[in-house]
Amino acid sequence: MHSFGHRANAVATFAVTILAAMCFAASFSDNFNSPYPTAAVKILNINWFQKEANGNDEVSMTLNISADLSSLFTWNTKQVFVFVAAEYETPQNALNQVSLWDGIIPSKEHAKFLIHTTNKYRYIDQGSNLKGKDFNLTMHWHIMPKTGKMFADKIVMTGYRLPEQYR
């Protein structure tokens, strides 16, 4: 007959195999979700646009950030990390990204929001490249699942421009 150790090992192996299959099924089912998130960011005011003592440009803005990210949530979603970034080009770099605001959405009930805020992080360019600069505001999100790989995507909003003069 088999000893208690052999029987416990067989039960534990079977349980781990079933758990692994369930994790695979949960992760695989996320491939069938077709999310349709919406987002809009409005710049209500440019609070200041100045040149710092070290020669860098700095901008402070008041933003209205609205989004409906509820379609990103499935039964396998643990949380969603979301951030808004200003993206622009300079002669030195084809793409500059400056994070202005971020947040963690813990559940589908919190996924539809309207936030009125100033930029949470400093919008600074190393140099004097921001005068009259066209830029995009992009909402990025990273879906953190309970099991499986993390998904990321974004919505790009174009048509923003900084002032020609410092304020």
Side-chain angles (χ1 to χ4, degrees), residues 51-71:
K51 184 181 211 67
E52 294 181 322
N54 59 9
N56 296 336
D57 286 347
E58 180 180 8
V59 182
S60 173
M61 298 181 277
T62 302
L63 306 169
N64 254 1
I65 304 168
S66 63
D68 182 0
L69 305 178
S70 56
S71 65

Side-chain angles (χ1 to χ4, degrees), residues 7-79:
R7 290 179 181 161
N9 185 30
V11 169
T13 302
F14 180 69
V16 169
T17 302
I18 295 300
L19 181 62
M22 290 173 54
C23 289
F24 174 77
S27 179
F28 184 72
S29 70
D30 277 344
N31 293 327
F32 299 108
N33 184 32
S34 299
Y36 46 90
T38 59
V41 179
K42 293 181 184 171
I43 298 175
L44 300 178
N45 187 32
I46 295 186
N47 302 325
W48 73 77
F49 178 38
Q50 63 189 13
K51 184 181 211 67
E52 294 181 322
N54 59 9
N56 296 336
D57 286 347
E58 180 180 8
V59 182
S60 173
M61 298 181 277
T62 302
L63 306 169
N64 254 1
I65 304 168
S66 63
D68 182 0
L69 305 178
S70 56
S71 65
L72 300 177
F73 282 85
T74 65
W75 62 281
N76 189 35
T77 305
K78 180 178 181 183
Q79 64 187 13

Side-chain angles (χ1 to χ4, degrees), residues 67-127:
D68 182 0
L69 305 178
S70 56
S71 65
L72 300 177
F73 282 85
T74 65
W75 62 281
N76 189 35
T77 305
K78 180 178 181 183
Q79 64 187 13
V80 175
F81 174 72
V82 61
F83 68 96
V84 174
E87 299 178 345
Y88 59 97
E89 293 181 15
T90 59
Q92 296 85 7
N93 299 306
L95 177 63
N96 294 281
Q97 289 182 316
V98 180
S99 181
L100 301 177
W101 172 87
D102 65 7
I104 294 174
I105 303 170
S107 65
K108 190 173 189 171
E109 291 76 33
H110 297 96
K112 193 171 186 177
F113 56 89
L114 173 63
I115 297 172
H116 178 82
T117 185
T118 58
N119 46 309
K120 189 175 178 181
Y121 305 106
R122 297 173 68 188
Y123 184 176
I124 296 177
D125 180 69
Q126 295 177 344

